[in-house]
């Protein structure tokens, strides 16, 4: 049975589909003749034009979910649609906080497995094979589903390039959320946006990340300042997120974000495999670390063996002098 | 209210040791000594604090493994958990995330918890869907990516990480909450704790004890497989300079060359 219909879970932010969704819709259009998307919240009507532009024909709009978390209501609406006989061959889900919640609940509801951390997909006859970086990206595992469809893949950001195809706006069809009991009982009381002056971490052209070598939470200020000077985003190794110096949203690596900027500057990061998998796809890598044997130097285009407390202040000063 | 907390924990091969996939099954080799996943120490600490604050609750660990390994569980028991349920059965080898969730959900239901805590993902498999699958199977609400957790009356209040910042979420109990690293500072087991852990109960169950069959879990129940593992393209190391007070100039020159500055 060939791959005919692919759905994309079209998460939105600020009323527009997030960049990973456009990457997935582009990929879906290369996999199957029919591409359809699922939206919720404010992402539906406003998203139909841009989702259509990238190749989606239909948008299933779950609509307003109020102050609920998306996991339970969106997965229930999707499950109802699938159980009504509208079955895609493949469902692509962006690897985001809400995407993982929706995929997990949908998987349990439909009793179908889910494959996560996908970095590439290829259609091979009647099969879809997914690629995964393992052991810090040193090896690539290829996986496939062996059972019933839809096959649910949760895909990491930046796995594909988004490409507009000039398609007409997608047709919007409303879908209903069935009655839910306790599973939908969580309520968002308030939303807090942290101040972010620069670009988003996984969309930035320059990422400056800090690690344990910064010595303390205060040392991270240098990373933030350098990122700001380069119009980049500050990132972090797992070690300093675990230490509570910076929030989880800054984490680059296997259990955090994947970034592929033009330049990645690793400051005081040794380069554990956990970290390398999230950044070794960067076009250029600069590493500053005092341990010359640190694994980060094996992937760096420019390695500086030196103390971040000496190199960074001078670098910041030099860049300030130019601006 | 006495809060009884279940914390899901995973015993994993030491991530700092070399790892490999079994060439025959494509699953992670887990035959060496297993340790408590670092990510789970935060959940254990969170559970202990919430149980302590409630006055009389306790923490029950729930874990599964294809063998009867308990060394990782003893670490969490030494931190202060009261007891553990270990679903241990050779038939569990090769389980996918959904099968894992089915096993954990059945085991968790036995403990009748007010709150279930898990890490956002494990360090070795990092699928990141198991806790939410457990919540769906148990018919419970869930709040993932918690960076702060408090219990207020019959509800849990969570600061949930988002792309933009965080959401303040209220969720009635019982519920499943996944915690990020850094949510709390895990305590080190005391000598007394380590000694006490040796005699704490670890209830070992087979899948048959949970009413599950070989077709539902393990390799027999998995509906996904690894078909190939190959080496990734190697990235080559570039130039390395030793800082003698002027290395920042090399960095600036490199950025200039890329037209970043």
């Amino acid at each position: 049975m060939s791959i005919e219909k692919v759905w994309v879970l079209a998460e939105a932010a600020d009323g527009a589909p997030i960049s990973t969704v456009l990457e997935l819709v582009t990929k879906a259009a290369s996999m199957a003749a029919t591409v359809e998307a699922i939206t919720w919240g404010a992402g539906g009507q406003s998203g139909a034009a841009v989702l259509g532009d990238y190749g989606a024909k239909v948008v299933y709009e779950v609509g307003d979910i109020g102050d609920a978390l998306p996991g339970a209501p969106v997965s229930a609406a999707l499950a109802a649609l699938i159980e009504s006989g509208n079955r895609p061959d493949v469902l692509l889900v962006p690897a985001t906080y809400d995407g993982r919640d929706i995929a997990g609940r949908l998987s349990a509801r439909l009793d179908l497995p889910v494959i996560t951390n996908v970095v590439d997909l290829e259609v091979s006859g009647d099969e879809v094979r997914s690629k995964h970086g393992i052991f810090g990206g040193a090896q690539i595992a290829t996986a496939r589903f062996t059972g019933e469809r839809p096959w649910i893949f949760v895909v990491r950001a930046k796995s594909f390039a988004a490409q507009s195809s000039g398609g007409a706006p997608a047709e919007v069809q409303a879908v209903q959320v069935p009655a839910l009991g306790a599973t939908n009982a969580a309520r968002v009381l308030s939303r807090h946006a942290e101040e972010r002056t620069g670009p988003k971490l996984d969309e930035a052209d320059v990422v400056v990340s800090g690690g344990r070598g910064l010595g303390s939470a205060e040392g991270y200020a240098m990373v933030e300042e350098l990122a700001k000077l380069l119009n980049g985003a500050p990132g972090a190794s797992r070690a300093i997120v675990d230490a509570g110096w910076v929030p989880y949203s800054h984490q680059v690596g296997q259990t955090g974000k994947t970034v592929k900027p033009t330049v990645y500057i690793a400051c005081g990061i040794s380069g554990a495999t956990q970290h390398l998998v999230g950044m070794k796809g960067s076009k250029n890598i600069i590493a500053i670390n005092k341990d010359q044997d640190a694994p980060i130097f094996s992937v760096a285009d420019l390695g500086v063996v030196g103390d971040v407390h000496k190199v960074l202040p001078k670098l910041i000063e030099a860049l300030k002098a130019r601006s | 209210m006495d809060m009884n907390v279940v914390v899901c924990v995973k015993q994993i091969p030491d991530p700092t040791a070399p790892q490999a996939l079994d060439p025959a099954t494509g699953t992670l080799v887990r035959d060496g000594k297993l340790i408590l996943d670092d990510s789970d120490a935060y959940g254990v600490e969170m559970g202990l604090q919430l149980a302590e604050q409630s006055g009389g609750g306790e923490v029950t660990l729930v874990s599964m493994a294809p063998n009867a390994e308990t060394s990782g569980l003893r670490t969490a028991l030494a931190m202060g958990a009261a007891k553990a349920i270990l679903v241990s059965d050779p038939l569990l080898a090769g389980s996918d995330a959904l099968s894992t969730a089915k096993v954990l959900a059945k085991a968790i239901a036995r403990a009748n918890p007010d709150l279930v805590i898990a890490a956002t993902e494990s360090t070795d498999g990092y699928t990141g869907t198991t806790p939410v699958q457990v919540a769906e199977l148990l018919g419970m609400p869930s709040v993932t990516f918690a960076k702060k957790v408090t219990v207020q009356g019959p509800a849990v209040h969570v600061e949930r990480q988002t792309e933009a910042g965080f959401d303040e979420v209220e969720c009635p109990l019982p519920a499943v909450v996944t915690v990020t690293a850094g949510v709390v500072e895990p305590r080190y087991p005391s000598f007394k704790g380590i000694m006490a852990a040796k005699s704490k109960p670890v209830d070992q169950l087979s899948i048959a004890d949970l009413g599950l069959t070989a077709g539902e879990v393990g390799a027999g129940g998995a509906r996904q497989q690894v078909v190939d593992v190959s080496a990734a393209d190697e990235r080559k190391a570039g130039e390395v300079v030793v800082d003698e007070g002027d290395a920042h100039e090399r960095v600036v020159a490199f950025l200039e060359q890329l037209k970043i500055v």
Side-chain angles (χ1 to χ4, degrees), chain A residues 67 187-192, chain B residues 152 157 167-171:
Chain A
D67 53 6
R187 287 289 166 268
V188 177
L189 302 180
S190 59
R191 299 179 200 271
H192 302 261
Chain B
Q152 299 172 21
H157 279 246
D167 286 351
E168 193 188 340
V169 181
E170 182 184 61
C171 184

Side-chain angles (χ1 to χ4, degrees), chain A residues 279-300:
Chain A
M279 48 64 79
K280 66 189 281 188
S282 304
K283 290 188 193 74
N284 299 279
I285 297 171
I286 300 173
I288 306 166
N289 198 299
K290 65 181 175 192
D291 174 10
Q292 62 176 5
D293 297 323
I296 192 78
F297 289 125
S298 69
V299 299

Side-chain angles (χ1 to χ4, degrees), chain A:
Chain A
M1 206 166 66
S2 60
I3 307 303
E4 283 163 15
K5 182 155 72 174
V6 177
W7 282 2
V8 176
L9 188 75
E11 181 173 347
D14 304 323
I18 61 171
S19 55
T20 312
V21 164
L22 300 181
E23 293 158 18
L24 295 184
V25 173
T26 304
K27 180 63 185 175
S30 77
M31 294 170 71
T34 304
V35 177
E36 299 176 340
I38 297 92
T39 63
W40 64 95
Q45 293 293 345
S46 59
V50 61
L51 291 167
D53 188 20
Y54 283 78
K57 300 283 192 293
V58 173
V59 164
Y60 298 105
E61 188 190 23
V62 175
D64 185 19
I65 58 167
D67 53 6
L69 291 173
V74 176
S75 64
L78 263 171
L81 195 59
I82 290 167
E83 280 159 356
S84 76
N86 187 348
R87 294 181 87 87
D89 298 298
V90 172
L91 170 64
L92 302 181
V93 177
T96 59
Y97 302 114
D98 290 338
R100 292 199 336 186
D101 280 6
I102 294 165
R105 284 202 179 262
L106 181 66
S107 155
R109 263 189 174 254
L110 297 174
D111 192 25
L112 291 174
V114 51
I115 289 183
T116 64
N117 288 305
V118 174
V119 296
D120 197 6
L121 289 164
E122 59 187 38
V123 177
S124 161
D126 292 347
E127 272 181 18
V128 177
R129 299 194 164 198
S130 58
K131 305 271 185 188
H132 309 259
I134 56 170
F135 307 139
Q139 294 182 40
I140 304 288
T142 305
R144 63 168 185 143
F145 285 106
T146 55
E148 197 186 334
R149 303 176 188 192
W151 295 328
I152 308 169
F153 293 100
V154 180
V155 187
R156 296 183 73 105
K158 300 284 180 88
S159 295
F160 308 106
Q163 177 76 51
S164 153
S165 61
E171 176 199 339
V172 178
Q173 293 183 16
V175 293
Q176 304 302 317
V177 178
L180 290 169
T183 57
N184 194 25
R187 287 289 166 268
V188 177
L189 302 180
S190 59
R191 299 179 200 271
H192 302 261
E194 277 158 11
E195 196 183 336
R196 178 169 54 79
T197 48
K200 285 172 72 174
L201 178 57
D202 51 2
E203 292 173 5
D205 213 28
V206 177
V207 172
V208 184
S209 281
R212 188 73 84 173
L214 294 168
S216 67
E218 289 69 39
Y220 192 74
M222 292 189 294
V223 166
E224 288 177 311
E225 189 171 9
L226 181 57
K228 197 173 173 188
L229 281 166
L230 296 171
N231 192 29
S237 71
R238 176 174 171 173
I240 71 168
V241 172
D242 282 6
W245 298 358
V246 291
Y248 178 79
S249 56
H250 287 52
Q251 187 172 323
V252 172
Q254 177 174 284
T255 51
K257 292 206 165 60
T258 301
V259 298
K260 294 184 177 178
T262 304
V263 184
Y264 187 89
I265 307 179
C267 308
I269 292 177
S270 65
T273 52
Q274 141 77 241
H275 188 73
L276 296 182
V277 72
M279 48 64 79
K280 66 189 281 188
S282 304
K283 290 188 193 74
N284 299 279
I285 297 171
I286 300 173
I288 306 166
N289 198 299
K290 65 181 175 192
D291 174 10
Q292 62 176 5
D293 297 323
I296 192 78
F297 289 125
S298 69
V299 299
D301 300 287
L302 175 62
V304 174
V305 179
D307 185 347
V308 286
H309 296 97
K310 290 183 180 150
V311 180
L312 286 182
K314 285 183 184 166
L315 179 58
I316 287 166
E317 203 179 316
L319 291 169
K320 273 185 177 164
R322 298 168 62 97
S323 57

Side-chain angles (χ1 to χ4, degrees), chain B residues 4 37 53 63 68 119 127 132 138 142 163 169 198 226-228:
Chain B
N4 287 312
D37 188 340
Q53 284 158 17
S63 190
T127 310
V132 181
L138 290 171
S142 55
E163 286 297 332
V169 181
K198 294 183 183 191
V226 172
V227 292
D228 180 62

